[in-house]
Amino acid sequence: MASRTVTEDEYVSGAQLIAEALKTQNIEYMFGIVGIPVTEIAIAVQAIGIKYVGMRNEQAACYAASAVGYLTGRPGVCLVVSGPGLIHALGGMANANMNCWPLIVIGGSSDRNQEIMGAFQEFPQVEACRLYSKFSARPSSLEAIPSVIEKAVRCSIYGRPGACYVDMPGDFVNLQVNKSTVQFTKCCLPPPISTAEHSAVSKAASIFAHSRQPLLIIGKGAAYSRAENNIRKLVDQCGLPFLPTPMGKGVVPDNHPNCVAAARSMALQHADVIILFGARLNWILHFGLPPRFRPDVKFIQVDICAEELGNNVRPAAILLGDISAVTEQLLEQLVLMEWKYPSYSEWWKMLREKMKSNEETSKALALQKSLPMNYYTVFHHVRELLPRDCILVSEGANTMDIGRSMLPNYLPRHRIDAGTFGTMGVGLGFAIASALVAKDRTPEQRVICIEGDSAFGFSGMEVETICRYNLPVIIIVVNNNGIYHGLDANTWKEMLKSGEPAACAPPICLLPNSHYEQIMTAFGGKGYFVKTPEEIQNALKESLAEKQMPSLINVMIDPQSDRRQQDFHWLTRSNM
């Protein structure tokens, strides 16, 4: 730690110390809702050049801050008030931890001299946050604030990234201290890049070179580690089929000829050797177990987190280290062996035939002329207009799952969804964060947020935040009047004749034909209520042409629309 030269008897408040400490750690964005006792912190960070975005709910603020961490590699900060404010943010902290995204939450808390007295919004915040974070602490003094902030940032990005919590007693915020007594810590260095053991790399390469039906699975850990260049080289030079997980899409472009996403089920069920690049064998990959996988499949795990290696299966080889660095090691070894997988193999023939069959089925569904539309028709017409470099935010049940297969990604870290924790309500917070990051780094880039109607309801008031900050976000609500399924307006009316909604309305139903687009127009954005493919395309064209105004396109579909019958559902029931 190094001391700065300061003017003698220069006094600063706790709020100013927090702001300076965050600025020193290269923090760019803070999201939150102000109130007692944290308002002065938000004012101080703005004064020092950190962007503060006032949200409408602490959950959405926390989701936004975590998305910044994923997109930039440096944590965003969520600022919340004490008690209920922090509790609302716990969902975002848990989501960040499960997704392995860096996040800092700063929570105001009761004054120290009122502890255990029943103070305003008193709650054991440091203890509570330990369940949802990698690090949870309260500075012991104002002088300790910079070192605690540095440790929180460092913990959030080192090893497996995650959430960290810093508690700030209310009396600390305005309390002042002579600046000459404060030890300011330097910006923590980027995480060290670790490589796998040479013997492990050799073993993995040998196993892979002897495979008959190899497969690469690319997870969001590969996207986060910026491994796209090395993984692309591995795919191209070795002629390998690859399958991206939902947020691994774009690490290698979805339109690459070796992408076998259209034959996902077959690829998983029949591969004999699988390399996992930053992908966990959790529910998203069916735990790595039969019947989704061969009983004798050999897994090669590449991960930054040692504790992840060997979960649910006994891997044939483990490569502990940075995804990008380890991929480079593995490629070097395979090149030395002069190994390349033949494009004329029976495995490639099986995969290509299945891909063609599934794509034809999806296309037939997409081109159906009947109204109301199905999911495939909606996504077919949306896909034709999406900019290649847009950031896609997606959440909902069928909306997210079918959109994953129908809407391509060409660049890494350009698809963000409910993720490992399956969290609903993340969409608008993610979209706000994505729009801010894009605005600062790639001003022409667009953010398209595709929501189910149920998912939109979790954080719909963040539309006001989008309009307040004039963020060019396009929200598409795929509206089926319910959760999974709904009822059409006529069936709803007939059902209500038999009694009160609470007694007879199916739990999955929402109010038919709700005009969600009017929420957008209420705050000055553009809203569209559409029912046909032509109306979708016209609304999306207008929205893309208007680069300085947010919009919401409310797309009505068949309430009974569903995914293809041959698709695997994500959720696998364990027989264990």
Side-chain angles (χ1 to χ4, degrees):
M1 296 187 294
S3 298
R4 294 178 178 175
T5 302
V6 298
T7 305
E8 189 175 354
D9 296 329
E10 180 184 350
Y11 283 83
V12 291
S13 68
Q16 290 171 306
L17 285 175
I18 294 167
E20 286 201 30
L22 292 173
K23 187 72 172 178
T24 299
Q25 299 304 320
N26 289 337
I27 300 300
E28 296 182 72
Y29 304 96
M30 176 181 281
F31 305 83
I33 298 177
V34 297
I36 298 171
V38 300
T39 302
E40 291 83 358
I41 297 175
I43 293 170
V45 300
Q46 276 190 322
I48 208 166
I50 296 172
K51 293 185 178 180
Y52 175 81
V53 177
M55 305 284 282
R56 299 304 299 264
N57 182 283
E58 289 92 353
Q59 275 192 347
C62 211
Y63 296 144
S66 67
V68 162
Y70 174 64
L71 292 169
T72 69
R74 208 71 183 176
V77 176
C78 177
L79 179 69
V80 297
V81 300
S82 50
L86 175 69
I87 291 170
H88 290 167
L90 292 180
M93 291 177 68
N95 190 68
N97 242 23
M98 293 294 185
N99 275 334
C100 312
W101 292 356
L103 164 71
I104 306 296
V105 175
I106 297 176
S109 60
S110 308
D111 291 4
R112 291 169 299 163
N113 63 357
Q114 295 178 355
E115 285 186 358
I116 73 169
M117 295 176 64
F120 175 66
Q121 295 183 335
E122 184 176 358
F123 188 72
Q125 298 182 180
V126 175
E127 294 84 352
C129 288
R130 288 196 177 112
L131 290 172
Y132 305 92
S133 62
K134 295 179 65 181
F135 171 79
S136 180
R138 169 193 283 188
S140 58
S141 63
L142 264 65
E143 290 85 352
I145 287 174
S147 63
V148 172
I149 293 289
E150 186 275 339
K151 184 169 184 179
V153 172
R154 178 161 39 88
C155 288
S156 77
I157 60 177
Y158 277 38
R160 171 180 281 179
C164 293
Y165 175 67
V166 177
D167 193 70
M168 201 55 55
D171 54 312
F172 270 21
V173 174
N174 290 309
L175 189 65
Q176 297 204 336
V177 65
N178 192 315
K179 201 171 182 178
S180 64
T181 67
V182 179
Q183 294 288 316
F184 285 89
T185 56
K186 294 180 180 179
C187 182
C188 70
L189 296 172
I193 296 176
S194 56
T195 56
E197 293 182 358
H198 179 72
S199 60
V201 176
S202 297
K203 179 182 178 182
S206 177
I207 292 170
F208 204 60
H210 286 88
S211 63
R212 292 178 177 273
Q213 296 177 181
L215 179 67
L216 308 182
I217 296 182
I218 303 171
K220 69 173 175 289
Y224 180 82
S225 69
R226 273 65 180 168
E228 52 266 21
N229 290 336
N230 286 331
I231 291 179
R232 176 70 182 265
K233 288 178 184 176
L234 179 64
V235 169
D236 288 341
Q237 292 185 28
C238 296
L240 294 168
F242 72 91
L243 176 70
T245 65
M247 275 187 275
K249 283 164 61 70
V251 170
V252 182
D254 282 348
N255 64 345
H256 191 286
N258 291 25
C259 179
V260 296
R264 179 182 188 272
S265 298
M266 172 176 279
L268 295 180
Q269 282 184 300
H270 296 285
D272 61 353
V273 178
I274 296 174
I275 303 184
L276 299 161
F277 290 107
R280 290 174 279 178
L281 291 174
N282 56 22
W283 66 276
I284 291 179
L285 287 175
H286 316 291
F287 314 112
L289 300 174
R292 305 302 200 226
F293 293 83
R294 287 170 50 150
D296 62 344
V297 63
K298 294 178 180 179
F299 286 105
I300 298 169
Q301 287 185 277
V302 184
D303 207 286
I304 192 68
C305 179
E307 292 82 356
E308 191 61 44
L309 302 171
N311 280 350
N312 299 325
V313 302
R314 179 170 292 180
I318 55 175
L319 302 177
L320 176 63
D322 175 80
I323 309 296
S324 182
V326 174
T327 304
E328 187 173 15
Q329 287 180 282
L330 190 60
L331 178 60
E332 288 174 355
Q333 191 67 31
L334 290 170
V335 169
L336 281 174
M337 298 166 63
E338 298 183 348
W339 181 81
K340 183 171 183 178
Y341 189 68
S343 60
Y344 53 81
S345 69
E346 189 64 27
W347 177 228
W348 262 124
K349 182 181 177 182
M350 288 170 56
L351 289 170
R352 287 175 179 138
E353 286 178 354
K354 189 63 174 176
M355 289 164 63
K356 183 180 179 181
S357 172
N358 285 349
E359 286 167 353
E360 288 174 352
T361 301
S362 294
K363 186 176 181 180
L365 287 167
L367 296 179
Q368 285 183 2
K369 301 295 185 182
S370 58
L371 295 177
M373 297 176 288
N374 62 47
Y375 286 101
Y376 294 88
T377 302
V378 172
F379 288 131
H380 171 76
H381 290 284
V382 168
R383 179 177 60 193
E384 292 183 342
L385 295 174
L386 287 181
R388 288 176 65 88
D389 68 342
C390 72
I391 296 177
L392 281 174
V393 178
S394 183
E395 66 168 331
N398 289 339
T399 298
M400 182 173 65
D401 290 347
I402 299 172
R404 171 187 56 82
S405 62
M406 292 287 293
L407 302 176
N409 289 93
Y410 305 101
L411 297 168
R413 299 169 296 282
H414 278 57
R415 187 182 197 274
I416 315 180
D417 65 24
T420 305
F421 211 27
T423 308
M424 289 295 100
V426 296
L428 270 65
F430 285 177
I432 288 167
S434 301
L436 286 165
V437 171
K439 199 173 184 180
D440 289 343
R441 290 163 170 75
T442 316
E444 295 300 312
Q445 193 173 47
R446 305 308 300 273
V447 176
I448 315 293
C449 182
I450 302 179
E451 304 263 297
D453 51 331
S454 171
F456 176 75
F458 282 81
S459 55
M461 272 302 292
E462 298 303 336
V463 167
E464 188 273 333
T465 307
I466 291 170
C467 291
R468 184 169 12 116
Y469 291 97
N470 196 31
L471 300 174
V473 175
I474 299 172
I475 302 170
I476 300 175
V477 177
V478 184
N479 189 346
N480 69 346
N481 299 338
I483 303 170
Y484 304 114
H485 302 287
L487 298 177
D488 61 67
N490 291 333
T491 305
W492 176 263
K493 290 176 183 177
E494 288 299 316
M495 181 201 65
L496 290 185
K497 291 179 181 179
S498 63
E500 289 295 318
C504 62
I508 61 173
C509 289
L510 301 173
L511 191 67
N513 299 336
S514 294
H515 283 265
Y516 297 113
E517 78 285 352
Q518 293 182 6
I519 299 175
M520 179 63 80
T521 58
F523 298 116
K526 293 275 287 184
Y528 304 86
F529 185 78
V530 306
K531 294 183 176 182
T532 68
E534 294 75 22
E535 289 173 346
I536 292 175
Q537 292 203 319
N538 290 337
L540 188 51
K541 285 176 183 176
E542 287 183 24
S543 298
L544 288 167
E546 180 54 76
K547 297 184 179 181
Q548 299 303 317
M549 183 181 289
S551 61
L552 191 154
I553 304 170
N554 186 14
V555 184
M556 302 306 303
I557 68 168
D558 183 349
Q560 299 302 310
S561 180
D562 206 343
R563 71 187 79 198
R564 297 174 303 177
Q565 288 186 352
Q566 70 265 32
D567 283 347
F568 262 152
H569 286 266
W570 283 101
L571 193 59
T572 300
R573 298 294 179 189
S574 175
N575 295 320
M576 298 173 65

